[in-house]
Amino acid sequence: MESRIDRIKKQLHSQSYKLTPQREATVRVLLENEEDHLSAEDVYLLVKEKAPEIGLATVYRTLELLTELKVVDKINFGDGVSRYDLRTEGADHFHHHLVCIECGAVDEIQEDLLGDVEKVVEEGWNFKIKDHRLTFHGICHRCHSDDGNEDKGSGE
Amino acid sequence: MESRIDRIKKQLHSQSYKLTPQREATVRVLLENEEDHLSAEDVYLLVKEKAPEIGLATVYRTLELLTELKVVDKINFGDGVSRYDLRTEGADHFHHHLVCIECGAVDEIQEDLLGDVEKVVEEGWNFKIKDHRLTFHGICHRCHSDDGNEDKGSGE
DNA sequence: TAGAATAGGATAATGATTCTTTTTTAATAA
DNA sequence: TTATTAAAAAAGAATCATTATCCTATTCTA
Ligand SMILES: [Mn+2]
Ligand SMILES: [Mn+2]
Ligand SMILES: [Zn+2]
Ligand SMILES: [Zn+2]
C-alpha cells in the first residue's frame, strides 16, 4: 500500500505535480476502498474523516487530476453521478463491470475478454482503440433464487 | 417511417399511454436523426422547429417514457449530458459505439460481437445478462493520417 | 526574504435534470 | 352534447452535481 502511494507520488512528480497532504488523503481513501465505486461526494465524506479541513472542490480537483494521470478511471453507471475507480496497476485495459438491476451491486471483471473483439473492430472499422468501457446489466449471482439464497445484499 | 411511428404508437397504447402530438413530434425528431446521439436539449431544439409550443420538461418526460418502453436507450459518453439513441428495431442487443478522441465523432457498430464474451461472463460469473454497454475510445478512420486525408470532420 | 507559481478553502455560479403548480386536452359517463 | 375525471403539458422553481471564482496559504526560486 505504501509502495503504491509512492508510485503514484512519483507519477505526480514526473508531471511536476505535488503529492500534497490533501491529495495523499484522497489517494488513501481510494486505495482503502478499492472494491467500491465511490462518487466524488463519497470520497469527500471519507477523506473528511481523516482530514476534516478538506474542501469538496479540492476533492473534485484531485479526482480530475488523478483521472488525467490515468490513476483512476471516471465512470458513469447512469445514476447521475460520476464514480471513480482505481485503475488496476499494470493493467493495460480498464476492467469491466456487472451491474445488478435487482440489488444495484456492482461487481468487477478483471479479465480482459475483449482481445478478439478489439481485433475485429480495429480491422473492420479502421479504428485505433485506446480504451474501452464495457458494462453488463443483469441479475447478479446473489440475486439468483435458484440457489435458495434470498439475501438481496445491500447494493452499492 | 410512418409504419415505425405506428408501431411505437401501438407499443405506447399497449401500456395505456397515448401518442400525443408532443410525443409524436419528439419521436419524429429521433427517427429523423437516427444517426446522431442527441441530448435532451438537442431534441428540444429540434422539436421546437416543428412544434414551437413544446416545453423542455415535456421532452424530458417523453424521453424518459421512451426509455422505459425500450424505444430508446439512454447513454452517456462522459461529457456531462445523457444522450438518447433509438434502439434498432428488432435488435435484441444494444449497439456499440466508437468515440473518437480526436474529433469527437461517435460511430456505431450494429454487429453484436459480444456473443462469446457474454457466454463466458454468464457462466464464469453466474450473472444473467439483460443488457450491455460497450464503447471504444480511440482514433476514428477519418482522423488517421495514413490515408492522407486531413479532414477532421465536424464531430458530434 | 521577496516574488512567482501552485494548491486549497469557501462559496457563488452554472448547467442538467426533476419537481410543483396550474392549465389544457382527451376520454368517459350522464 | 355537457359535466366529470384523468392524463398530459407548460412554465418556471427547485435540486443536485460539478465548475469557476476569489482570496489565502504554501512551496519553490532567485
Ligand atoms: Mn470497477
Ligand atoms: Mn448509437
Ligand atoms: Zn443483485
Ligand atoms: Zn476522428
Side-chain angles (χ1 to χ4, degrees):
Chain A
M1 163 98 156
E2 288 312 311
S3 60
R4 225 160 146 200
I5 297 232
D6 279 346
R7 283 193 293 277
I8 291 170
K9 187 174 185 173
K10 283 205 190 76
Q11 218 178 327
L12 282 163
H13 284 166
S14 77
Q15 312 267 138
S16 55
Y17 292 113
K18 308 164 199 168
L19 184 63
T20 65
Q22 291 91 338
R23 286 176 182 168
E24 181 170 340
T26 303
V27 170
R28 280 186 191 281
V29 161
L30 291 172
L31 285 168
E32 288 163 9
N33 298 274
E34 194 161 7
E35 302 296 300
D36 300 322
H37 298 89
L38 304 174
S39 66
E41 180 87 26
D42 294 337
V43 174
Y44 172 62
L45 293 174
L46 289 167
V47 174
K48 276 224 128 179
E49 291 175 7
K50 50 178 69 169
E53 76 290 351
I54 200 171
L56 177 58
T58 300
V59 171
Y60 270 101
R61 279 187 292 244
T62 302
L63 291 171
E64 189 188 8
L65 177 61
L66 293 173
T67 303
E68 258 179 54
L69 296 177
K70 308 253 191 193
V71 171
V72 301
D73 279 295
K74 190 177 181 180
I75 44 179
N76 193 301
F77 293 127
D79 60 348
V81 293
S82 293
R83 296 179 180 279
Y84 298 85
D85 207 354
L86 211 51
R87 194 173 257 249
T88 311
E89 240 187 335
D92 58 344
H93 62 87
F94 187 43
H95 60 259
H96 317 307
H97 292 98
L98 302 174
V99 178
C100 179
I101 57 182
E102 284 285 330
C103 68
V106 178
D107 295 314
E108 305 194 334
I109 295 183
Q110 297 292 341
E111 284 80 349
D112 188 347
L113 305 181
L114 284 183
D116 294 341
V117 173
E118 297 200 339
K119 198 171 299 170
V120 169
V121 170
E122 294 221 330
E123 289 169 6
W125 278 263
N126 191 20
F127 187 90
K128 179 69 192 149
I129 295 173
K130 299 285 187 179
D131 197 5
H132 59 224
R133 291 294 148 94
L134 174 59
T135 304
F136 293 107
H137 300 251
I139 315 287
C140 81
H141 66 93
R142 290 170 295 265
C143 290
H144 280 147
S145 49
D146 55 86
D147 62 355
N149 177 5
E150 287 299 303
D151 176 18
K152 290 298 169 65
S154 63
E156 156 90 353
Chain B
M1 162 99 155
E2 288 311 310
S3 59
R4 224 158 146 201
I5 297 230
D6 279 346
R7 283 193 292 278
I8 291 170
K9 186 173 185 175
K10 284 205 189 73
Q11 218 179 327
L12 283 164
H13 284 165
S14 77
Q15 311 266 137
S16 54
Y17 291 114
K18 307 164 201 170
L19 184 64
T20 64
Q22 291 89 341
R23 287 177 182 166
E24 181 171 340
T26 303
V27 170
R28 278 184 193 282
V29 161
L30 292 171
L31 285 168
E32 288 163 8
N33 297 274
E34 194 161 7
E35 304 296 300
D36 300 323
H37 298 90
L38 305 174
S39 68
E41 182 87 24
D42 294 337
V43 174
Y44 171 62
L45 293 173
L46 288 167
V47 174
K48 275 223 131 180
E49 291 175 8
K50 47 178 71 173
E53 75 292 350
I54 201 171
L56 177 57
T58 299
V59 170
Y60 270 102
R61 277 187 297 249
T62 301
L63 291 171
E64 190 188 8
L65 177 61
L66 293 173
T67 303
E68 258 179 54
L69 295 178
K70 309 252 191 195
V71 171
V72 301
D73 279 295
K74 191 176 180 179
I75 44 178
N76 194 300
F77 293 126
D79 60 349
V81 293
S82 293
R83 295 178 181 279
Y84 297 85
D85 207 354
L86 211 51
R87 193 172 257 250
T88 311
E89 240 186 334
D92 58 343
H93 62 87
F94 187 42
H95 60 259
H96 317 307
H97 293 97
L98 302 175
V99 178
C100 180
I101 57 182
E102 285 285 330
C103 68
V106 178
D107 295 314
E108 305 195 333
I109 296 182
Q110 297 292 340
E111 284 81 349
D112 188 347
L113 305 180
L114 284 182
D116 294 343
V117 173
E118 297 201 339
K119 199 172 297 169
V120 170
V121 171
E122 294 221 331
E123 288 169 8
W125 279 263
N126 190 21
F127 186 89
K128 178 69 193 151
I129 295 174
K130 299 284 188 182
D131 198 5
H132 58 225
R133 291 294 146 95
L134 174 59
T135 303
F136 293 106
H137 301 248
I139 316 286
C140 82
H141 65 95
R142 288 170 296 265
C143 290
H144 281 148
S145 50
D146 53 87
D147 61 354
N149 176 6
E150 286 297 302
D151 174 18
K152 289 298 170 67
S154 63
E156 158 87 358

